[in-house]
């Protein structure tokens, strides 16, 4: 069995409301519906670069949207469609499938950063692959399936067993 070690940072509780989790990721980011270019430019130094800010704002817009196989948003998503849609917001055109997305970018072998794409082996997915985007504190966003849609999940021991690769598209 392949052994993987990732430094995930401090743990975070999923018992808090979704806006609080995202506020913890980027505490100085206003609600997505009130965001303008001027607000982006004026956001404080505590935030990541503008691309990571846009990724988190995209997460805010996507949360709760339904899962539809093959959907690329913005009304519905599948797992790789969500990742592709999020990265399109920062000007990166990614391949369509989770497997293809897992074959590009820089391979991450140690510390996870906001925006890193997690690639999992999945027996439930018709393609055999699933992916999501890491936020912080063991929390990632993904289009989880028909019954749950786009949600935040905890990257726990069970999920880590199925983690095949982590890819970074933003330097």
């Amino acid at each position: 069995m392949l052994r993987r070690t990732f430094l995930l940072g401090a743990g975070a509780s999923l018992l808090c409301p979704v806006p609080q989790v995202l506020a913890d990721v980027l505490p100085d980011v206003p609600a997505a519906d009130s965001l303008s270019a001027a607000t982006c430019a004026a956001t404080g130094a505590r935030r990541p670069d503008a691309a990571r800010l846009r990724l988190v704002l995209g997460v805010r817009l996507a949360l709760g949207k339904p899962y539809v196989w093959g959907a690329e948003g913005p009304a519905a998503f599948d797992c790789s469609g969500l990742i592709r849609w999020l990265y399109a917001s920062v000007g990166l055109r990614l391949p369509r499938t989770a497997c293809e997305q897992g074959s590009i970018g820089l391979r991450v072998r140690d510390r996870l950063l906001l925006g890193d794409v997690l690639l999992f082996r999945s027996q439930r997915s018709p393609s055999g692959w699933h992916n999501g985007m890491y936020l912080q504190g063991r929390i990632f966003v993904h289009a989880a399936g028909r019954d749950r849609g786009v949600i935040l999940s905890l990257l726990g021991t069970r999920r880590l067993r199925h983690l095949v690769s982590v890819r970074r598209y933003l330097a």
Side-chain angles (χ1 to χ4, degrees):
M1 182 171 161
L2 203 61
R3 183 173 277 193
R4 292 172 211 86
T5 305
F6 295 98
L7 302 176
L8 299 172
S13 170
L14 289 179
L15 299 176
C16 60
V18 167
Q20 181 59 47
V21 171
L22 291 176
D24 291 345
V25 174
L26 293 175
D28 54 354
V29 175
D33 56 2
S34 68
L35 191 70
S36 67
T39 306
C40 283
T43 305
R46 290 180 58 201
R47 69 165 173 78
D49 61 45
R52 285 186 170 84
L53 171 65
R54 283 194 190 109
L55 288 174
V56 171
L57 293 174
V59 169
R60 285 186 175 185
L61 294 172
L63 282 172
K65 298 290 171 92
Y67 176 96
V68 175
W69 177 259
E72 295 184 46
F77 298 95
D78 71 2
C79 66
S80 58
L82 172 64
I83 300 304
R84 188 173 182 172
W85 182 80
L86 288 169
Y87 271 92
S89 74
V90 299
L92 293 176
R93 184 164 170 80
L94 298 183
R96 177 59 187 99
T97 68
C99 183
E100 292 168 329
Q101 291 171 7
S103 68
I104 64 168
L106 299 173
R107 184 175 205 134
V108 176
R109 297 187 185 274
D110 53 8
R111 187 169 176 213
L112 299 180
L113 298 176
L114 189 152
D116 287 349
V117 173
L118 311 169
L119 183 70
F120 302 94
R121 200 73 168 119
S122 171
Q123 293 180 354
R124 293 187 337 182
S125 170
S127 72
W129 297 97
H130 180 68
N131 65 0
M133 187 181 80
Y134 183 77
L135 295 173
Q136 79 162 21
R138 294 182 173 249
I139 298 172
F140 71 104
V141 63
H142 61 129
R146 289 187 184 109
D147 55 336
R148 296 182 289 171
V150 178
I151 62 170
L152 298 179
S153 291
L154 188 62
L155 187 57
T157 305
R158 183 177 63 86
R159 284 206 170 89
L160 282 172
R161 280 193 303 246
H162 299 285
L163 184 64
V164 174
S165 182
V166 178
R167 295 297 185 164
R168 183 168 295 152
Y169 306 132
L170 299 175

